[in-house]
Amino acid sequence: MGKPTQQLSKDIKKLAMKVKPTTQLLIVPRPPPAIRQMFKNKDEIPKNLQSNIIYQVNCSSCPASYIGKTTRQACIRLQEHGAPTEIPAEHTNENLRRSARIAAMNANNNAQISYYESGSSEDDLPSTTHTSAIKRHITSTKHKIDWHNWTILDKDKHPYRLLVKESLAINEKSPTLNLTTRSVPFVVYPEGCVIKRTNHTTSQ
């Protein structure tokens, strides 16, 4: 607390004593701004290394697009879709080994809980049994995918909320490469997320 603040506190206390001598006034100065409000104190995670995201990939040759979700790093999921490798080999191998261990652990777990409906989102499922919709599009049309300008639509660390947000994004944007319209049923809003539009009237 600086000298001007101390002087102001004394003046306020004197004024309060004149108005009501029995008043006990406690001056609490406002804390200084946090460092994070002035500048970023953490390095921003590159887009390709982020996880627990809803992403959208567009085709460069046609209006086709795909919306998916992944709880792993985005670069791993995009490589399963057919994206070129853009991270160091040792980093890739490390993540693939970790993913393989998790897949093996889930396969041996008889009490595994799944949030998926039958025929729902194919993200984060083994690529050996589910062919990527983007790969099928590339194979059938010989089109090129815009792997550099894919976008993150939303994030959530909770698995079920991530599925709900994916379903809302699919319902809103209607991507042509998605085989399903939602990953989980909409219990509260069966029609998805409704966008409110305001009517602007002009007077002449």
mmCIF file of all heavy atoms in Angstrom, residues 69-115:
data_model
loop_
_atom_site.group_PDB
_atom_site.id
_atom_site.type_symbol
_atom_site.label_atom_id
_atom_site.label_comp_id
_atom_site.label_asym_id
_atom_site.label_seq_id
_atom_site.Cartn_x
_atom_site.Cartn_y
_atom_site.Cartn_z
ATOM 1 N N LYS A 69 -14.380 -35.380 -32.569
ATOM 2 C CA LYS A 69 -13.828 -35.056 -31.257
ATOM 3 C C LYS A 69 -12.716 -36.046 -30.951
ATOM 4 O O LYS A 69 -12.681 -37.164 -31.469
ATOM 5 C CB LYS A 69 -14.911 -35.092 -30.184
ATOM 6 C CG LYS A 69 -15.478 -36.481 -29.895
ATOM 7 C CD LYS A 69 -14.775 -37.158 -28.743
ATOM 8 C CE LYS A 69 -15.245 -38.604 -28.609
ATOM 9 N NZ LYS A 69 -14.437 -39.378 -27.661
ATOM 10 N N THR A 70 -11.805 -35.632 -30.111
ATOM 11 C CA THR A 70 -10.741 -36.527 -29.685
ATOM 12 C C THR A 70 -10.296 -36.147 -28.291
ATOM 13 O O THR A 70 -10.241 -34.964 -27.943
ATOM 14 C CB THR A 70 -9.546 -36.495 -30.656
ATOM 15 O OG1 THR A 70 -8.553 -37.424 -30.214
ATOM 16 C CG2 THR A 70 -8.929 -35.112 -30.740
ATOM 17 N N THR A 71 -10.008 -37.155 -27.484
ATOM 18 C CA THR A 71 -9.464 -36.924 -26.153
ATOM 19 C C THR A 71 -7.945 -37.004 -26.156
ATOM 20 O O THR A 71 -7.314 -36.727 -25.144
ATOM 21 C CB THR A 71 -10.025 -37.967 -25.166
ATOM 22 O OG1 THR A 71 -9.717 -39.285 -25.648
ATOM 23 C CG2 THR A 71 -11.533 -37.823 -25.037
ATOM 24 N N ARG A 72 -7.384 -37.392 -27.293
ATOM 25 C CA ARG A 72 -5.929 -37.464 -27.427
ATOM 26 C C ARG A 72 -5.412 -36.208 -28.116
ATOM 27 O O ARG A 72 -6.169 -35.302 -28.438
ATOM 28 C CB ARG A 72 -5.549 -38.709 -28.231
ATOM 29 C CG ARG A 72 -5.988 -40.012 -27.577
ATOM 30 C CD ARG A 72 -5.802 -41.170 -28.533
ATOM 31 N NE ARG A 72 -6.690 -41.057 -29.681
ATOM 32 C CZ ARG A 72 -6.518 -41.722 -30.815
ATOM 33 N NH1 ARG A 72 -5.481 -42.509 -30.972
ATOM 34 N NH2 ARG A 72 -7.373 -41.581 -31.801
ATOM 35 N N GLN A 73 -4.112 -36.167 -28.353
ATOM 36 C CA GLN A 73 -3.555 -35.031 -29.078
ATOM 37 C C GLN A 73 -4.106 -35.010 -30.497
ATOM 38 O O GLN A 73 -4.262 -36.048 -31.140
ATOM 39 C CB GLN A 73 -2.033 -35.118 -29.102
ATOM 40 C CG GLN A 73 -1.392 -34.838 -27.751
ATOM 41 C CD GLN A 73 0.118 -34.914 -27.805
ATOM 42 O OE1 GLN A 73 0.677 -35.637 -28.616
ATOM 43 N NE2 GLN A 73 0.776 -34.173 -26.937
ATOM 44 N N ALA A 74 -4.389 -33.800 -30.976
ATOM 45 C CA ALA A 74 -5.034 -33.661 -32.280
ATOM 46 C C ALA A 74 -4.181 -34.246 -33.399
ATOM 47 O O ALA A 74 -4.713 -34.823 -34.351
ATOM 48 C CB ALA A 74 -5.320 -32.185 -32.550
ATOM 49 N N CYS A 75 -2.859 -34.109 -33.302
ATOM 50 C CA CYS A 75 -1.997 -34.598 -34.381
ATOM 51 C C CYS A 75 -2.126 -36.106 -34.555
ATOM 52 O O CYS A 75 -2.071 -36.613 -35.689
ATOM 53 C CB CYS A 75 -0.546 -34.212 -34.106
ATOM 54 S SG CYS A 75 0.087 -34.807 -32.523
ATOM 55 N N ILE A 76 -2.327 -36.836 -33.459
ATOM 56 C CA ILE A 76 -2.467 -38.288 -33.552
ATOM 57 C C ILE A 76 -3.756 -38.649 -34.276
ATOM 58 O O ILE A 76 -3.778 -39.505 -35.166
ATOM 59 C CB ILE A 76 -2.442 -38.918 -32.147
ATOM 60 C CG1 ILE A 76 -1.147 -38.553 -31.421
ATOM 61 C CG2 ILE A 76 -2.595 -40.430 -32.234
ATOM 62 C CD1 ILE A 76 0.108 -39.027 -32.108
ATOM 63 N N ARG A 77 -4.853 -37.977 -33.915
ATOM 64 C CA ARG A 77 -6.135 -38.271 -34.550
ATOM 65 C C ARG A 77 -6.136 -37.865 -36.020
ATOM 66 O O ARG A 77 -6.667 -38.585 -36.874
ATOM 67 C CB ARG A 77 -7.258 -37.542 -33.797
ATOM 68 C CG ARG A 77 -8.645 -37.814 -34.364
ATOM 69 C CD ARG A 77 -8.933 -39.292 -34.407
ATOM 70 N NE ARG A 77 -10.196 -39.587 -35.075
ATOM 71 C CZ ARG A 77 -10.452 -40.720 -35.702
ATOM 72 N NH1 ARG A 77 -9.533 -41.664 -35.761
ATOM 73 N NH2 ARG A 77 -11.621 -40.912 -36.270
ATOM 74 N N LEU A 78 -5.526 -36.722 -36.343
ATOM 75 C CA LEU A 78 -5.497 -36.275 -37.732
ATOM 76 C C LEU A 78 -4.646 -37.202 -38.594
ATOM 77 O O LEU A 78 -4.948 -37.414 -39.774
ATOM 78 C CB LEU A 78 -4.967 -34.842 -37.806
ATOM 79 C CG LEU A 78 -5.869 -33.766 -37.190
ATOM 80 C CD1 LEU A 78 -5.236 -32.392 -37.334
ATOM 81 C CD2 LEU A 78 -7.257 -33.775 -37.820
ATOM 82 N N GLN A 79 -3.588 -37.756 -38.026
ATOM 83 C CA GLN A 79 -2.782 -38.720 -38.779
ATOM 84 C C GLN A 79 -3.587 -39.976 -39.088
ATOM 85 O O GLN A 79 -3.420 -40.587 -40.143
ATOM 86 C CB GLN A 79 -1.520 -39.069 -37.994
ATOM 87 C CG GLN A 79 -0.488 -37.953 -37.968
ATOM 88 C CD GLN A 79 0.683 -38.255 -37.068
ATOM 89 O OE1 GLN A 79 0.935 -39.417 -36.744
ATOM 90 N NE2 GLN A 79 1.398 -37.224 -36.642
ATOM 91 N N GLU A 80 -4.481 -40.362 -38.181
ATOM 92 C CA GLU A 80 -5.358 -41.497 -38.453
ATOM 93 C C GLU A 80 -6.343 -41.176 -39.569
ATOM 94 O O GLU A 80 -6.804 -42.075 -40.275
ATOM 95 C CB GLU A 80 -6.110 -41.887 -37.181
ATOM 96 C CG GLU A 80 -5.211 -42.431 -36.091
ATOM 97 C CD GLU A 80 -5.942 -42.689 -34.793
ATOM 98 O OE1 GLU A 80 -7.124 -42.302 -34.686
ATOM 99 O OE2 GLU A 80 -5.336 -43.279 -33.887
ATOM 100 N N HIS A 81 -6.669 -39.898 -39.727
ATOM 101 C CA HIS A 81 -7.531 -39.471 -40.834
ATOM 102 C C HIS A 81 -6.771 -39.400 -42.153
ATOM 103 O O HIS A 81 -7.392 -39.270 -43.208
ATOM 104 C CB HIS A 81 -8.132 -38.091 -40.536
ATOM 105 C CG HIS A 81 -9.285 -38.127 -39.574
ATOM 106 N ND1 HIS A 81 -10.372 -38.955 -39.727
ATOM 107 C CD2 HIS A 81 -9.513 -37.417 -38.436
ATOM 108 C CE1 HIS A 81 -11.229 -38.755 -38.738
ATOM 109 N NE2 HIS A 81 -10.732 -37.835 -37.938
ATOM 110 N N GLY A 82 -5.442 -39.433 -42.096
ATOM 111 C CA GLY A 82 -4.649 -39.361 -43.315
ATOM 112 C C GLY A 82 -3.770 -38.140 -43.416
ATOM 113 O O GLY A 82 -3.159 -37.901 -44.466
ATOM 114 N N ALA A 83 -3.673 -37.348 -42.346
ATOM 115 C CA ALA A 83 -2.845 -36.142 -42.383
ATOM 116 C C ALA A 83 -1.370 -36.518 -42.397
ATOM 117 O O ALA A 83 -0.974 -37.540 -41.829
ATOM 118 C CB ALA A 83 -3.143 -35.263 -41.172
ATOM 119 N N PRO A 84 -0.521 -35.706 -43.037
ATOM 120 C CA PRO A 84 0.919 -35.980 -43.035
ATOM 121 C C PRO A 84 1.510 -35.783 -41.648
ATOM 122 O O PRO A 84 0.988 -35.015 -40.836
ATOM 123 C CB PRO A 84 1.475 -34.949 -44.029
ATOM 124 C CG PRO A 84 0.469 -33.842 -44.024
ATOM 125 C CD PRO A 84 -0.866 -34.494 -43.806
ATOM 126 N N THR A 85 2.595 -36.479 -41.376
ATOM 127 C CA THR A 85 3.260 -36.372 -40.084
ATOM 128 C C THR A 85 3.999 -35.049 -40.000
ATOM 129 O O THR A 85 4.817 -34.726 -40.849
ATOM 130 C CB THR A 85 4.252 -37.527 -39.889
ATOM 131 O OG1 THR A 85 3.547 -38.758 -40.038
ATOM 132 C CG2 THR A 85 4.879 -37.464 -38.509
ATOM 133 N N GLU A 86 3.710 -34.272 -38.940
ATOM 134 C CA GLU A 86 4.333 -32.954 -38.784
ATOM 135 C C GLU A 86 5.033 -32.797 -37.448
ATOM 136 O O GLU A 86 5.457 -31.709 -37.093
ATOM 137 C CB GLU A 86 3.274 -31.853 -38.922
ATOM 138 C CG GLU A 86 2.638 -31.803 -40.296
ATOM 139 C CD GLU A 86 1.611 -30.702 -40.406
ATOM 140 O OE1 GLU A 86 1.315 -30.076 -39.373
ATOM 141 O OE2 GLU A 86 1.107 -30.466 -41.515
ATOM 142 N N ILE A 87 5.160 -33.879 -36.665
ATOM 143 C CA ILE A 87 5.838 -33.803 -35.379
ATOM 144 C C ILE A 87 7.012 -34.763 -35.394
ATOM 145 O O ILE A 87 7.057 -35.686 -36.209
ATOM 146 C CB ILE A 87 4.885 -34.154 -34.221
ATOM 147 C CG1 ILE A 87 4.284 -35.550 -34.429
ATOM 148 C CG2 ILE A 87 3.801 -33.128 -34.079
ATOM 149 C CD1 ILE A 87 3.398 -35.983 -33.287
ATOM 150 N N PRO A 88 8.031 -34.571 -34.527
ATOM 151 C CA PRO A 88 9.197 -35.445 -34.524
ATOM 152 C C PRO A 88 8.819 -36.902 -34.334
ATOM 153 O O PRO A 88 7.848 -37.234 -33.656
ATOM 154 C CB PRO A 88 10.015 -34.923 -33.334
ATOM 155 C CG PRO A 88 9.583 -33.509 -33.168
ATOM 156 C CD PRO A 88 8.137 -33.473 -33.569
ATOM 157 N N ALA A 89 9.617 -37.776 -34.929
ATOM 158 C CA ALA A 89 9.300 -39.204 -34.899
ATOM 159 C C ALA A 89 9.290 -39.752 -33.481
ATOM 160 O O ALA A 89 8.434 -40.539 -33.109
ATOM 161 C CB ALA A 89 10.311 -39.973 -35.751
ATOM 162 N N GLU A 90 10.261 -39.299 -32.646
ATOM 163 C CA GLU A 90 10.310 -39.847 -31.294
ATOM 164 C C GLU A 90 9.094 -39.421 -30.488
ATOM 165 O O GLU A 90 8.592 -40.157 -29.657
ATOM 166 C CB GLU A 90 11.587 -39.394 -30.575
ATOM 167 C CG GLU A 90 11.740 -37.882 -30.413
ATOM 168 C CD GLU A 90 12.430 -37.259 -31.613
ATOM 169 O OE1 GLU A 90 12.577 -37.972 -32.620
ATOM 170 O OE2 GLU A 90 12.830 -36.083 -31.546
ATOM 171 N N HIS A 91 8.577 -38.191 -30.748
ATOM 172 C CA HIS A 91 7.380 -37.738 -30.049
ATOM 173 C C HIS A 91 6.170 -38.552 -30.485
ATOM 174 O O HIS A 91 5.340 -38.953 -29.690
ATOM 175 C CB HIS A 91 7.160 -36.246 -30.322
ATOM 176 C CG HIS A 91 6.154 -35.634 -29.396
ATOM 177 N ND1 HIS A 91 5.743 -34.332 -29.516
ATOM 178 C CD2 HIS A 91 5.474 -36.148 -28.345
ATOM 179 C CE1 HIS A 91 4.853 -34.061 -28.574
ATOM 180 N NE2 HIS A 91 4.672 -35.151 -27.848
ATOM 181 N N THR A 92 6.088 -38.818 -31.775
ATOM 182 C CA THR A 92 4.981 -39.609 -32.302
ATOM 183 C C THR A 92 4.988 -41.012 -31.729
ATOM 184 O O THR A 92 3.971 -41.538 -31.292
ATOM 185 C CB THR A 92 5.071 -39.678 -33.836
ATOM 186 O OG1 THR A 92 5.120 -38.352 -34.352
ATOM 187 C CG2 THR A 92 3.869 -40.401 -34.412
ATOM 188 N N ASN A 93 6.159 -41.653 -31.713
ATOM 189 C CA ASN A 93 6.245 -43.021 -31.223
ATOM 190 C C ASN A 93 5.869 -43.109 -29.752
ATOM 191 O O ASN A 93 5.220 -44.049 -29.313
ATOM 192 C CB ASN A 93 7.668 -43.563 -31.433
ATOM 193 C CG ASN A 93 7.994 -43.715 -32.912
ATOM 194 O OD1 ASN A 93 7.096 -43.870 -33.724
ATOM 195 N ND2 ASN A 93 9.273 -43.658 -33.247
ATOM 196 N N GLU A 94 6.283 -42.097 -28.991
ATOM 197 C CA GLU A 94 5.972 -42.105 -27.569
ATOM 198 C C GLU A 94 4.472 -42.064 -27.339
ATOM 199 O O GLU A 94 3.931 -42.806 -26.526
ATOM 200 C CB GLU A 94 6.640 -40.900 -26.902
ATOM 201 C CG GLU A 94 6.330 -40.794 -25.408
ATOM 202 C CD GLU A 94 6.941 -39.550 -24.797
ATOM 203 O OE1 GLU A 94 7.705 -38.868 -25.515
ATOM 204 O OE2 GLU A 94 6.655 -39.272 -23.625
ATOM 205 N N ASN A 95 3.770 -41.211 -28.076
ATOM 206 C CA ASN A 95 2.328 -41.102 -27.903
ATOM 207 C C ASN A 95 1.611 -42.336 -28.418
ATOM 208 O O ASN A 95 0.616 -42.762 -27.853
ATOM 209 C CB ASN A 95 1.807 -39.849 -28.624
ATOM 210 C CG ASN A 95 2.117 -38.581 -27.842
ATOM 211 O OD1 ASN A 95 1.429 -38.245 -26.893
ATOM 212 N ND2 ASN A 95 3.179 -37.900 -28.238
ATOM 213 N N LEU A 96 2.125 -42.918 -29.499
ATOM 214 C CA LEU A 96 1.494 -44.114 -30.030
ATOM 215 C C LEU A 96 1.649 -45.279 -29.059
ATOM 216 O O LEU A 96 0.745 -46.082 -28.885
ATOM 217 C CB LEU A 96 2.098 -44.462 -31.395
ATOM 218 C CG LEU A 96 1.714 -43.510 -32.538
ATOM 219 C CD1 LEU A 96 2.425 -43.916 -33.816
ATOM 220 C CD2 LEU A 96 0.211 -43.495 -32.760
ATOM 221 N N ARG A 97 2.809 -45.367 -28.414
ATOM 222 C CA ARG A 97 3.001 -46.436 -27.440
ATOM 223 C C ARG A 97 2.047 -46.255 -26.264
ATOM 224 O O ARG A 97 1.467 -47.199 -25.758
ATOM 225 C CB ARG A 97 4.452 -46.442 -26.953
ATOM 226 C CG ARG A 97 5.449 -46.970 -27.980
ATOM 227 C CD ARG A 97 6.746 -47.355 -27.294
ATOM 228 N NE ARG A 97 7.342 -46.228 -26.598
ATOM 229 C CZ ARG A 97 8.201 -45.388 -27.161
ATOM 230 N NH1 ARG A 97 8.550 -45.534 -28.428
ATOM 231 N NH2 ARG A 97 8.715 -44.390 -26.456
ATOM 232 N N ARG A 98 1.877 -45.010 -25.830
ATOM 233 C CA ARG A 98 0.966 -44.743 -24.726
ATOM 234 C C ARG A 98 -0.467 -45.072 -25.129
ATOM 235 O O ARG A 98 -1.222 -45.666 -24.363
ATOM 236 C CB ARG A 98 1.073 -43.276 -24.309
ATOM 237 C CG ARG A 98 0.159 -42.899 -23.150
ATOM 238 C CD ARG A 98 0.420 -41.458 -22.728
ATOM 239 N NE ARG A 98 -0.452 -41.067 -21.640
ATOM 240 C CZ ARG A 98 -1.665 -40.565 -21.806
ATOM 241 N NH1 ARG A 98 -2.134 -40.403 -23.027
ATOM 242 N NH2 ARG A 98 -2.410 -40.222 -20.771
ATOM 243 N N SER A 99 -0.858 -44.695 -26.351
ATOM 244 C CA SER A 99 -2.201 -45.005 -26.825
ATOM 245 C C SER A 99 -2.411 -46.509 -26.930
ATOM 246 O O SER A 99 -3.500 -47.019 -26.656
ATOM 247 C CB SER A 99 -2.436 -44.340 -28.190
ATOM 248 O OG SER A 99 -2.329 -42.943 -28.081
ATOM 249 N N ALA A 100 -1.361 -47.231 -27.344
ATOM 250 C CA ALA A 100 -1.473 -48.683 -27.452
ATOM 251 C C ALA A 100 -1.678 -49.313 -26.082
ATOM 252 O O ALA A 100 -2.459 -50.252 -25.926
ATOM 253 C CB ALA A 100 -0.223 -49.253 -28.124
ATOM 254 N N ARG A 101 -0.987 -48.776 -25.067
ATOM 255 C CA ARG A 101 -1.161 -49.311 -23.719
ATOM 256 C C ARG A 101 -2.578 -49.055 -23.215
ATOM 257 O O ARG A 101 -3.194 -49.924 -22.593
ATOM 258 C CB ARG A 101 -0.143 -48.668 -22.764
ATOM 259 C CG ARG A 101 1.291 -49.091 -23.004
ATOM 260 C CD ARG A 101 2.151 -48.777 -21.787
ATOM 261 N NE ARG A 101 2.077 -47.374 -21.407
ATOM 262 C CZ ARG A 101 2.890 -46.438 -21.877
ATOM 263 N NH1 ARG A 101 3.829 -46.758 -22.749
ATOM 264 N NH2 ARG A 101 2.777 -45.184 -21.476
ATOM 265 N N ILE A 102 -3.097 -47.860 -23.491
ATOM 266 C CA ILE A 102 -4.460 -47.543 -23.048
ATOM 267 C C ILE A 102 -5.472 -48.426 -23.762
ATOM 268 O O ILE A 102 -6.424 -48.926 -23.157
ATOM 269 C CB ILE A 102 -4.761 -46.055 -23.300
ATOM 270 C CG1 ILE A 102 -3.866 -45.184 -22.412
ATOM 271 C CG2 ILE A 102 -6.227 -45.741 -23.025
ATOM 272 C CD1 ILE A 102 -4.014 -43.708 -22.670
ATOM 273 N N ALA A 103 -5.270 -48.643 -25.069
ATOM 274 C CA ALA A 103 -6.186 -49.496 -25.824
ATOM 275 C C ALA A 103 -6.160 -50.925 -25.301
ATOM 276 O O ALA A 103 -7.200 -51.580 -25.185
ATOM 277 C CB ALA A 103 -5.826 -49.463 -27.306
ATOM 278 N N ALA A 104 -4.950 -51.423 -24.977
ATOM 279 C CA ALA A 104 -4.842 -52.780 -24.445
ATOM 280 C C ALA A 104 -5.500 -52.890 -23.076
ATOM 281 O O ALA A 104 -6.153 -53.885 -22.762
ATOM 282 C CB ALA A 104 -3.372 -53.188 -24.361
ATOM 283 N N MET A 105 -5.343 -51.845 -22.262
ATOM 284 C CA MET A 105 -5.953 -51.854 -20.937
ATOM 285 C C MET A 105 -7.474 -51.846 -21.044
ATOM 286 O O MET A 105 -8.166 -52.565 -20.324
ATOM 287 C CB MET A 105 -5.477 -50.640 -20.139
ATOM 288 C CG MET A 105 -6.048 -50.556 -18.731
ATOM 289 S SD MET A 105 -5.440 -49.104 -17.843
ATOM 290 C CE MET A 105 -6.125 -47.801 -18.879
ATOM 291 N N ASN A 106 -8.011 -51.039 -21.970
ATOM 292 C CA ASN A 106 -9.461 -50.990 -22.150
ATOM 293 C C ASN A 106 -10.004 -52.303 -22.698
ATOM 294 O O ASN A 106 -11.119 -52.711 -22.372
ATOM 295 C CB ASN A 106 -9.832 -49.836 -23.084
ATOM 296 C CG ASN A 106 -9.590 -48.489 -22.445
ATOM 297 O OD1 ASN A 106 -9.555 -48.370 -21.223
ATOM 298 N ND2 ASN A 106 -9.418 -47.459 -23.268
ATOM 299 N N ALA A 107 -9.213 -52.962 -23.557
ATOM 300 C CA ALA A 107 -9.666 -54.230 -24.130
ATOM 301 C C ALA A 107 -9.761 -55.317 -23.072
ATOM 302 O O ALA A 107 -10.613 -56.207 -23.151
ATOM 303 C CB ALA A 107 -8.712 -54.659 -25.245
ATOM 304 N N ASN A 108 -8.882 -55.244 -22.059
ATOM 305 C CA ASN A 108 -8.886 -56.254 -20.998
ATOM 306 C C ASN A 108 -9.846 -55.921 -19.872
ATOM 307 O O ASN A 108 -10.018 -56.710 -18.945
ATOM 308 C CB ASN A 108 -7.472 -56.414 -20.422
ATOM 309 C CG ASN A 108 -6.504 -56.958 -21.463
ATOM 310 O OD1 ASN A 108 -6.899 -57.718 -22.341
ATOM 311 N ND2 ASN A 108 -5.240 -56.558 -21.362
ATOM 312 N N ASN A 109 -10.449 -54.749 -19.932
ATOM 313 C CA ASN A 109 -11.357 -54.322 -18.869
ATOM 314 C C ASN A 109 -12.778 -54.744 -19.230
ATOM 315 O O ASN A 109 -13.403 -54.183 -20.116
ATOM 316 C CB ASN A 109 -11.274 -52.808 -18.685
ATOM 317 C CG ASN A 109 -12.105 -52.337 -17.504
ATOM 318 O OD1 ASN A 109 -12.630 -53.151 -16.739
ATOM 319 N ND2 ASN A 109 -12.223 -51.026 -17.363
ATOM 320 N N ASN A 110 -13.299 -55.740 -18.535
ATOM 321 C CA ASN A 110 -14.630 -56.253 -18.852
ATOM 322 C C ASN A 110 -15.734 -55.307 -18.412
ATOM 323 O O ASN A 110 -16.853 -55.367 -18.913
ATOM 324 C CB ASN A 110 -14.839 -57.617 -18.183
ATOM 325 C CG ASN A 110 -13.895 -58.662 -18.738
ATOM 326 O OD1 ASN A 110 -13.536 -58.611 -19.915
ATOM 327 N ND2 ASN A 110 -13.479 -59.607 -17.891
ATOM 328 N N ALA A 111 -15.432 -54.423 -17.466
ATOM 329 C CA ALA A 111 -16.451 -53.508 -16.945
ATOM 330 C C ALA A 111 -16.334 -52.139 -17.586
ATOM 331 O O ALA A 111 -16.620 -51.131 -16.969
ATOM 332 C CB ALA A 111 -16.323 -53.391 -15.432
ATOM 333 N N GLN A 112 -15.907 -52.084 -18.830
ATOM 334 C CA GLN A 112 -15.715 -50.811 -19.513
ATOM 335 C C GLN A 112 -17.049 -50.116 -19.755
ATOM 336 O O GLN A 112 -18.022 -50.733 -20.173
ATOM 337 C CB GLN A 112 -15.009 -51.037 -20.850
ATOM 338 C CG GLN A 112 -14.729 -49.748 -21.607
ATOM 339 C CD GLN A 112 -14.018 -50.028 -22.909
ATOM 340 O OE1 GLN A 112 -13.807 -51.174 -23.265
ATOM 341 N NE2 GLN A 112 -13.659 -48.987 -23.621
ATOM 342 N N ILE A 113 -17.095 -48.838 -19.448
ATOM 343 C CA ILE A 113 -18.298 -48.038 -19.646
ATOM 344 C C ILE A 113 -18.136 -47.233 -20.918
ATOM 345 O O ILE A 113 -17.123 -46.570 -21.118
ATOM 346 C CB ILE A 113 -18.540 -47.097 -18.451
ATOM 347 C CG1 ILE A 113 -18.732 -47.928 -17.177
ATOM 348 C CG2 ILE A 113 -19.750 -46.207 -18.693
ATOM 349 C CD1 ILE A 113 -18.860 -47.084 -15.931
ATOM 350 N N SER A 114 -19.134 -47.256 -21.783
ATOM 351 C CA SER A 114 -19.072 -46.529 -23.045
ATOM 352 C C SER A 114 -20.199 -45.525 -23.109
ATOM 353 O O SER A 114 -21.335 -45.819 -22.730
ATOM 354 C CB SER A 114 -19.170 -47.497 -24.229
ATOM 355 O OG SER A 114 -19.202 -46.778 -25.442
ATOM 356 N N TYR A 115 -19.889 -44.332 -23.597
ATOM 357 C CA TYR A 115 -20.892 -43.292 -23.779
ATOM 358 C C TYR A 115 -21.429 -43.276 -25.206
ATOM 359 O O TYR A 115 -22.236 -42.438 -25.551
ATOM 360 C CB TYR A 115 -20.298 -41.910 -23.457
ATOM 361 C CG TYR A 115 -20.002 -41.716 -21.992
ATOM 362 C CD1 TYR A 115 -18.706 -41.800 -21.515
ATOM 363 C CD2 TYR A 115 -21.019 -41.444 -21.090
ATOM 364 C CE1 TYR A 115 -18.432 -41.612 -20.171
ATOM 365 C CE2 TYR A 115 -20.758 -41.249 -19.746
ATOM 366 C CZ TYR A 115 -19.464 -41.330 -19.289
ATOM 367 O OH TYR A 115 -19.189 -41.136 -17.968
#
